[in-house]
Amino acid sequence: MLNALEVFTTVVVGLMVGVEFSVAFVINPILNGLPEDSSVLGRAHGGRMLGALMPVWYITSLVLTAIWAIAGWHHHGAGLVVTAAALLILSVIMSILLLVPINNRGKTWTAENRPADWKQQMNRWDRFHYARVAVIIAAFTLLVAALT
């Protein structure tokens, strides 16, 4: 049963990493290359859509990792799993304190109501997101290492 939990958790976290990596290095660069009105609308729509989905995914990933850490406490790799859980906690804290406030503003913007500094706010969100992606990649890497 522990093996199934380990694999399932690793897949869930890995898919989350893939989505967030794609947002950082594929989706947002595409949106940034569009005309300003389209870029604002695209990022606002993405903020609404992923803003609803990703909190559930982050918390699910954290809970699964915590369960793995507890269930596998006396098994090989437990320290790696605990460290991965700590990194996922950090990613949730980063999200709540740094990314969500910007996302909550940005998801309501249109071409008519966007603030003058909207690009700076999006660039700030992107920088925080790059850091968060690095954190969740590290967590995923630790989970993969714990499987071996």
Side-chain angles (χ1 to χ4, degrees):
M1 189 67 155
L2 181 60
N3 287 341
L5 173 65
E6 293 169 349
V7 170
F8 183 71
T9 301
T10 303
V11 169
V12 168
V13 173
L15 290 171
M16 180 181 73
V17 168
V19 168
E20 293 292 37
F21 185 90
S22 177
V23 167
F25 297 103
V26 178
I27 303 301
N28 284 348
I30 289 170
L31 293 174
N32 291 341
L34 296 175
E36 287 188 4
D37 292 353
S38 297
S39 180
V40 168
L41 293 175
R43 287 185 78 126
H45 181 66
R48 287 188 300 274
M49 187 180 80
L50 292 172
L53 172 66
M54 296 314 290
V56 174
W57 210 336
Y58 273 81
I59 297 301
T60 300
S61 295
L62 175 57
V63 168
L64 287 170
T65 303
I67 293 169
W68 176 0
I70 293 165
W73 187 251
H74 297 293
H75 291 83
H76 172 75
L80 296 172
V81 178
V82 170
T83 305
L87 289 172
L88 291 173
I89 290 169
L90 175 61
S91 74
V92 170
I93 292 169
M94 291 172 70
S95 298
I96 292 168
L97 295 179
L98 303 173
L99 290 116
V100 169
I102 298 170
N103 190 64
N104 284 344
R105 290 190 302 271
K107 68 185 183 181
T108 65
W109 295 342
T110 65
E112 293 78 32
N113 73 357
R114 68 179 180 228
D117 70 339
W118 75 274
K119 283 185 182 179
Q120 291 81 6
Q121 289 189 55
M122 289 297 96
N123 287 336
R124 185 172 184 203
W125 188 93
D126 288 343
R127 287 191 306 275
F128 291 146
H129 184 64
Y130 294 142
R132 179 175 62 180
V133 168
V135 169
I136 63 174
I137 287 172
F140 175 66
T141 302
L142 291 171
L143 294 177
V144 171
L147 289 173
T148 59

